[in-house]
Amino acid sequence: MKRVLLAIIGVVLLLGITASAALAEWPTSCVELNDVIETGLGNDHNVGIYQRVHGEGAEAACRSDHRDSGFRFGARPFQLPSKSDPAAYTQAFVERAIDRYNNDGLQATLAYYNSPASVDGPWYVFIFDENDVLVGHAPTPSIVDLHARDVLGPDGYPTGLQVVADATPMGAWTSYTWVNTATGESQTKHSWVVRHDGLVFGSGWYEPGPSKTDPAGYAQALVQRAVSLHASLGTDETLAFYNTPQSADGPWYVFVLEDRAGVLYSVANANRPDIVGKTRERIDAEGFNYGEAFAAVTEESGGAWVSYLFTHPQTRQDARKHSWTVRVGDLIFGVGWYEGI
């Protein structure tokens, strides 16, 4: 670390920058600091190389390359972006945790991120170890030491498994439902997750998302969550979750159909476990073949609404149901809402 700082000071002197000017114009990003050093060393051809090679990923690539070199953006702490840009704030929050780990080691990092002092409103850092065990989570210490498979969302959603599956060395966004510890409400959480040294560092920001008072938007959000889970964990884990009773919320449940050469088989349905693994005629009381409408949904369309008469799972009466359906390969994901109920 000292060698890096001395080298930077040397570069500043070589460039003829005074001490006060250096503090005023000190680089605030890895890319800027790298360019200053390359210029001072006479490697002008390397100035801007991260932007040219990596484009929007320049900062992440630079930090990844220089994590072991002790880059700290000069002698002052890294400044977080404004919370008015929650995505940027979240990414910087995670990068600061990784910097702490690189400089102070794992135990000191865990001690800090398991303490209330590390929590900033809805923002906090969670950490999984090399075995995908949650080892850092200040707001909810009761879930620390749980394996990712046991870190579940409010409805039993396999949040932990999705998080560790989506984390990459360059960082990735992953979204799921989680309790906002600042408000106590279940909301959509968008987390930035980075796998570094075998560990997963993450933090997230929340948004309310559609409510049941907006049934169409709520149905689409539930389908998107199912599609995202499938992209993260694959078919088996996704079907296993959506066949559990806790995945259903009254009339709100995800159904999944598998298209086998034009014949639709139910493969997930928490409301009707008796039909899972079977095919059946899907024609409503008015003679509408909604099965054909499901099968006609294409991946290219991005999804389609299918409206039909269907038995309400609570009243056991036929009601007009509007289902949002999305195809992913041979699978069709759907969630519907009922009129007048």
Side-chain angles (χ1 to χ4, degrees), residues 261-275:
V263 180
L264 300 183
Y265 285 78
S266 175
V267 289
N269 193 318
N271 176 55
R272 291 289 307 274
D274 57 302
I275 66 173

Side-chain angles (χ1 to χ4, degrees), residues 243 255-258 260 264-269 272 275-280 282:
N243 275 316
F255 60 86
V256 186
L257 306 172
E258 183 178 4
R260 303 177 187 175
L264 300 183
Y265 285 78
S266 175
V267 289
N269 193 318
R272 291 289 307 274
I275 66 173
V276 173
K278 303 175 183 177
T279 186
R280 62 192 181 91
R282 294 179 173 82

Side-chain angles (χ1 to χ4, degrees), residues 88-337:
Y89 190 85
T90 297
Q91 289 177 305
F93 205 74
V94 172
E95 289 302 315
R96 189 168 65 171
I98 293 173
D99 287 343
R100 181 182 291 269
Y101 164 77
N102 287 338
N103 285 276
D104 300 339
L106 179 59
Q107 294 310 310
T109 300
L110 291 181
Y112 177 69
Y113 286 112
N114 276 316
S115 71
S118 68
V119 179
D120 181 9
W123 278 279
Y124 57 88
V125 169
F126 54 83
I127 304 171
F128 288 86
D129 70 9
E130 300 93 331
N131 299 312
D132 293 340
V133 173
L134 185 66
V135 291
H137 198 286
T140 317
S142 61
I143 65 175
V144 172
D145 294 331
L146 293 182
H147 189 274
R149 74 173 64 89
D150 299 314
V151 178
L152 306 176
D155 57 352
Y157 186 86
T159 301
L161 289 179
Q162 178 174 316
V163 164
V164 298
D166 286 349
T168 70
M170 296 299 292
W173 287 106
T174 186
S175 299
Y176 47 88
T177 302
W178 194 253
V179 175
N180 183 338
T181 54
T183 65
E185 299 177 353
S186 294
Q187 296 181 329
T188 299
K189 182 169 185 176
H190 306 289
S191 287
W192 179 252
V193 289
V194 180
R195 189 172 287 278
H196 176 66
D197 274 2
L199 307 171
V200 172
F201 295 81
S203 187
W205 59 283
Y206 298 84
E207 63 177 358
S211 70
K212 293 176 183 177
T213 59
D214 173 16
Y218 190 71
Q220 290 178 308
L222 289 177
V223 171
Q224 182 55 55
R225 190 175 73 146
V227 171
S228 296
L229 183 63
H230 181 263
S232 299
L233 299 185
T235 300
D236 292 346
E237 291 280 1
T238 302
L239 298 184
F241 170 64
Y242 285 111
N243 275 316
T244 61
Q246 58 264 42
S247 70
D249 179 12
W252 300 97
Y253 59 91
V254 172
F255 60 86
V256 186
L257 306 172
E258 183 178 4
D259 189 342
R260 303 177 187 175
V263 180
L264 300 183
Y265 285 78
S266 175
V267 289
N269 193 318
N271 176 55
R272 291 289 307 274
D274 57 302
I275 66 173
V276 173
K278 303 175 183 177
T279 186
R280 62 192 181 91
E281 190 174 59
R282 294 179 173 82
I283 299 176
D284 70 11
E286 295 178 335
F288 176 63
N289 192 328
Y290 59 92
E292 286 186 353
F294 288 156
V297 176
T298 65
E299 287 189 88
E300 293 74 19
S301 68
W305 287 103
V306 178
S307 299
Y308 51 99
L309 289 178
F310 199 74
T311 304
H312 191 284
Q314 294 173 312
T315 67
R316 308 312 302 171
Q317 301 294 316
D318 275 356
R320 179 70 56 186
K321 183 173 184 178
H322 306 283
S323 289
W324 176 249
T325 54
V326 173
R327 178 184 285 270
V328 179
D330 293 333
L331 298 179
I332 300 168
F333 296 82
V335 174
W337 60 280

